[in-house]
């Protein structure tokens, strides 16, 4: 009797697992049909003249500048989520800002915050207004 009950339980488990596996495989993949919305930007970023996060200097002073700019941006409640996530790349005191922001005012505001940080020599504001 015990062996029969255990066998019956095992049979249900096997059938249940097989059924779930089949239903997952029968559904079309949603990710295969969706194109990335930033493909053009990725192509543009392959250009050696375009600064990316990989260009961030490892010197302590440049890392400190980037950290202080990020802290100033994040502390400002008027900055949008996109604005708080812009790329900040500092090399030899020159700061490059890249990424989407919600308005021209926000672009100017973030650029001004970067310029006010000690050690910044120049700000290259490449922020883009998001559509």
């Amino acid at each position: 009797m015990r062996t029969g009950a255990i066998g019956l339980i095992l049979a249900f488990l096997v059938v249940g697992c097989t059924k779930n596996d089949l239903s997952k495989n029968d559904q079309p993949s949603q990710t295969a049909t969706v194109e990335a919305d930033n493909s053009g930007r990725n192509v543009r970023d392959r250009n050696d003249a375009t600064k990316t996060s990989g260009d961030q200097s490892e010197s302590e002073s440049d890392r400190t500048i980037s950290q202080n700019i990020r802290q100033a941006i994040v502390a400002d409640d008027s900055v949008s989520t996109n604005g708080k996530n812009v790329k900040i790349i500092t090399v030899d005191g020159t700061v490059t800002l890249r990424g989407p922001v919600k308005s021209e005012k926000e672009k100017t505001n973030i650029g001004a915050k970067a310029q006010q940080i000690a050690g910044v020599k120049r700000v290259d504001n490449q922020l883009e207004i998001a559509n």
Side-chain angles (χ1 to χ4, degrees):
M1 183 73 144
R2 260 188 169 165
T3 307
I6 291 174
L8 187 59
I9 291 171
L10 288 175
F12 280 117
L13 289 174
V14 169
V15 171
C17 291
T18 305
K19 183 177 179 183
N20 285 342
D21 289 343
L22 288 176
S23 65
K24 287 180 186 174
N25 291 335
D26 290 343
Q27 295 179 1
S29 173
Q30 295 293 328
T31 58
T33 59
V34 178
E35 289 186 37
D37 62 352
N38 62 350
S39 296
R41 289 188 180 124
N42 290 340
V43 169
R44 178 191 66 198
D45 288 350
R46 289 187 197 119
N47 179 347
D48 288 339
T50 304
K51 296 275 188 208
T52 63
S53 58
D55 296 315
Q56 170 66 45
S57 168
E58 291 299 318
S59 76
E60 186 173 348
S61 61
D62 284 340
R63 285 184 295 141
T64 300
I65 289 170
S66 292
Q67 290 168 354
N68 290 339
I69 293 169
R70 176 74 63 204
Q71 288 172 352
I73 293 170
V74 171
D76 186 345
D77 291 336
S78 70
V79 176
S80 69
T81 301
N82 279 344
K84 291 182 181 190
N85 289 305
V86 298
K87 292 176 186 73
I88 304 167
I89 305 134
T90 307
V91 179
D92 297 327
T94 299
V95 177
T96 303
L97 301 172
R98 298 193 56 227
V101 293
K102 71 176 183 178
S103 67
E104 185 66 38
K105 180 180 178 183
E106 187 170 75
K107 176 181 177 176
T108 304
N109 181 25
I110 292 172
K113 286 185 183 311
Q115 190 63 56
Q116 293 171 355
I117 300 299
V120 172
K121 294 177 184 172
R122 186 175 77 79
V123 174
D124 181 10
N125 192 339
Q126 297 180 15
L127 298 174
E128 301 170 355
I129 310 325
N131 293 332

